[in-house]
Amino acid sequence: MGAANAAGSAATPTHSPHGHGDFYQYPSRKTLERTSPGTLLASEPMAVTARLQGVSSRTVRIMYRSVGLHREPIAVTGFVFVPLGGAPSGGWPVVAWSHGTAGVGPSCAPSRHANLYPQSDYPEYEDLAARLLRDGHAVVGTDYPGLGFPDKLHNFPQTDLNSRSVIDSVVAARQVSSQLGRQWFAIGHSEGAAAVLRVGEHVAREASGLRFLGTVSLAPPSHFKDVMDMFAAARPPIDAGLAALAAYLAVGAHLYSPSIRYTDVLAPELAVQIPLVKKLCDDELTIYLDNVQLDRIGNPDWADNPALRRFVDILEPAKGRSTGPILLLQGDQDQTIPVATTTKLNGELCNLGDTVDYRIYPGATHDSVLSAAYKDMIGWMTDRLQGHPAPSTC
């Protein structure tokens, strides 16, 4: 699927002059069926923070066609930011940004928030986007399938599904601005870090009209069987953030297969909170669960359900060899993704034959690794743009 082909098959995009409510109306099945992945379906100006506005010539909210769980056509929303000034020869290099856990409900979509995250006092993603724009990269962000639209839910944390929405966002973004070039990177954090590791497996056949230069993965989750066992083993005092992640995973598992009951994943006292789980974004849900009496998080017999075992297996980010090099970044004080887990993942990626540059940052946490690693990240990307061979620590 080349960018030119996708653009050529597109109907004229609908530009919404109204508020969020109109923009996030889900398109008809007929509209989706007559378009190809990466087709731009709608766009409108996006209000952003002063910091982002100060380094952008355009900030645009987008809706585009992607591919669903059963290969059906779906709509996904996101955003496109173009740097200030004139584009270099060949256009601005593109960063496809893949965000961390935000929630599963409509209000949790990053494109609904001026700072790119539903928590107003969380500056990390805004800061990263602003620095990338300042350093001469267009930034394209996907909301992921299910986020943003009323009456839809995000298939958290389905790595393969998210990765396809990342690729299609780049194809769509180049229909928004002719200043965007063909060269691009995929950068992701947390949930998004797993998704971008799968991008390299798909990109050669699904975005052949673009030139993929590599993946930057910051604190990726992996080894989900161990995660499920960790949920099951948790005892008081219960970590509310861990309970929130388990609850979101239960929503994603049930979307994957209705034969997976919420109680197959969760302890009964957490499963009864699912109606609120579907509405509250990550910080809100964590605060709420911190005030709920929980004695357990997970179901120790989760593996008894074959569909749930399949679901857990497909979440793994190391499934096949990447067509581009990988920069794998991890803080050694990360309490969400242990450094030992990412070190194990690094070995698996190396065994697949990937070119991996693995770096650990002393003192960096799950979130602060974004700023701690930025100098290395931008240097690594500059070297790829200049055609230097990617280093490997394998």
Side-chain angles (χ1 to χ4, degrees):
M1 178 200 70
N5 291 338
S9 65
T12 301
T14 301
H15 298 268
S16 171
H18 306 296
H20 289 181
D22 289 327
F23 184 83
Y24 291 96
Q25 289 181 355
Y26 201 78
S28 69
R29 181 176 177 179
K30 181 181 290 187
T31 296
L32 294 173
E33 287 179 342
R34 71 184 183 210
T35 57
S36 59
T39 298
L40 182 68
L41 301 173
S43 64
E44 68 173 11
M46 178 177 168
V48 295
T49 62
R51 183 173 186 193
L52 286 170
Q53 193 63 59
V55 290
S56 304
S57 62
R58 292 185 68 189
T59 57
V60 181
R61 183 179 290 113
I62 62 171
M63 183 190 302
Y64 61 95
R65 156 82 147 79
S66 193
V67 179
L69 183 62
H70 305 292
R71 304 297 300 176
E72 76 279 11
I74 62 171
V76 180
T77 51
F79 57 83
V80 180
F81 300 160
V82 182
L84 293 170
S89 176
W92 295 113
V94 177
V95 165
W97 166 243
S98 187
H99 64 86
T101 304
V104 297
S107 66
C108 306
S111 71
R112 286 184 174 267
H113 300 276
N115 70 330
L116 312 182
Y117 196 71
Q119 183 178 337
S120 61
D121 61 349
Y122 184 85
E124 278 80 1
Y125 293 168
E126 168 194 0
D127 289 349
L128 177 62
R131 295 176 81 173
L132 289 166
L133 286 158
R134 181 201 64 194
D135 289 335
H137 297 79
V139 177
V140 179
T142 179
D143 287 336
Y144 302 143
L147 281 181
F149 297 108
D151 303 319
K152 299 283 184 183
L153 292 169
H154 170 41
N155 304 70
F156 179 88
Q158 294 189 37
T159 308
D160 189 66
L161 195 62
N162 289 350
S163 71
R164 295 175 192 277
S165 73
V166 172
I167 297 168
D168 293 333
S169 72
V170 179
V171 179
R174 298 185 71 241
Q175 298 159 55
V176 171
S177 172
S178 60
Q179 290 188 299
L180 271 60
R182 294 176 56 248
Q183 299 184 107
W184 70 288
F185 300 91
I187 300 180
H189 175 237
S190 195
E191 178 187 1
V196 295
L197 287 173
R198 297 294 296 276
V199 163
E201 298 175 26
H202 300 302
V203 70
R205 65 177 179 272
E206 298 193 13
S208 57
L210 304 175
R211 186 182 172 208
F212 181 61
L213 297 183
T215 294
V216 180
S217 178
L218 297 116
S222 63
H223 302 95
F224 283 89
K225 292 179 182 178
D226 295 341
V227 173
M228 295 294 289
D229 289 339
M230 180 176 61
F231 291 156
R235 293 295 184 271
I238 295 297
D239 183 323
L242 188 66
L245 291 174
Y248 288 146
L249 189 144
V251 172
H254 183 70
L255 290 171
Y256 170 77
S257 174
S259 69
I260 302 174
R261 299 166 298 179
Y262 298 122
T263 52
D264 289 333
V265 179
L266 304 174
E269 61 261 40
L270 183 52
V272 298
Q273 305 295 338
I274 286 294
L276 277 175
V277 171
K278 294 178 179 179
K279 296 177 181 179
L280 299 180
C281 300
D282 189 33
D283 63 315
E284 301 168 314
L285 182 61
T286 300
I287 292 169
Y288 172 77
L289 291 177
D290 202 33
N291 292 285
V292 173
Q293 180 63 44
L294 294 173
D295 293 321
R296 291 192 298 139
I297 290 178
N299 182 345
D301 299 320
W302 67 269
D304 290 348
N305 186 316
L308 182 53
R309 291 199 305 271
R310 290 193 298 272
F311 172 76
V312 170
D313 180 67
I314 67 168
L315 303 181
E316 291 302 327
K319 288 290 188 181
R321 187 171 182 177
S322 174
T323 55
I326 297 167
L327 180 61
L328 184 63
L329 307 173
Q330 176 70 40
D332 73 351
Q333 297 302 306
D334 191 329
Q335 300 302 306
T336 304
I337 307 295
V339 65
T341 300
T342 303
T343 298
K344 185 177 178 181
L345 172 64
N346 172 64
E348 293 165 351
L349 294 169
C350 289
N351 288 339
L352 287 170
D354 288 334
T355 300
V356 186
D357 185 352
Y358 180 36
R359 307 186 191 187
I360 300 172
Y361 294 84
T365 66
H366 189 63
D367 292 321
S368 69
V369 70
L370 289 159
S371 58
Y374 185 79
K375 183 178 179 180
D376 289 342
M377 185 191 318
I378 201 70
W380 186 89
M381 292 164 60
T382 300
D383 285 347
R384 304 293 79 71
L385 286 165
Q386 293 176 351
H388 301 309
S392 175
T393 54
C394 289

